[in-house]
Amino acid sequence: MNHLRGLWVPLVTPFDANDHVDIVALMRLARRVLSDGAQGIVALGTTGEPAVLTVAEQRLVVETCAEVCASVGGSLMVGAGTNSTRTTVDALRDL
């Protein structure tokens, strides 16, 4: 484990023309950031718009980023907080 050494880049969540998470663009972005030298990526941080994504979309973003990290040896950090402490606790409990 890399223990937060090096550069960790929070990713935006790209959307396609139909307002769906653009998985191909997300994979390309994650690979690019890691190949350019980042130690890891941050999914669902404040730049990833987690508050406006459904639970299914959030899961898709995390799974996609985890797949990319596993394939290239990068590290992944996932934002887990919300504006509500109870909602955050409930969401983490359901993982």
Side-chain angles (χ1 to χ4, degrees):
M1 179 170 254
N2 298 312
H3 302 292
L4 299 179
R5 293 176 198 225
L7 177 66
W8 290 70
V9 178
L11 300 182
V12 298
T13 302
F15 291 88
D16 63 20
N18 296 314
D19 201 30
H20 296 110
V21 174
D22 189 336
I23 296 305
V24 173
L26 180 59
M27 290 179 88
R28 187 171 41 243
L29 176 62
R31 280 193 184 105
R32 175 67 186 263
V33 165
L34 292 168
S35 71
D36 282 350
Q39 185 69 45
I41 56 176
V42 181
L44 304 180
T46 56
T47 54
E49 302 82 30
V52 299
L53 298 176
T54 66
V55 171
E57 289 171 327
Q58 291 176 8
R59 195 167 277 129
L60 183 60
V61 167
V62 171
E63 289 170 355
T64 301
C65 289
E67 180 182 323
V68 171
C69 286
S71 73
V72 299
S75 296
L76 175 63
M77 180 186 304
V78 178
T82 69
N83 292 334
S84 164
T85 301
R86 273 186 235 137
T87 301
T88 300
V89 170
D90 290 344
L92 292 174
R93 187 178 301 127
D94 292 340
L95 290 178

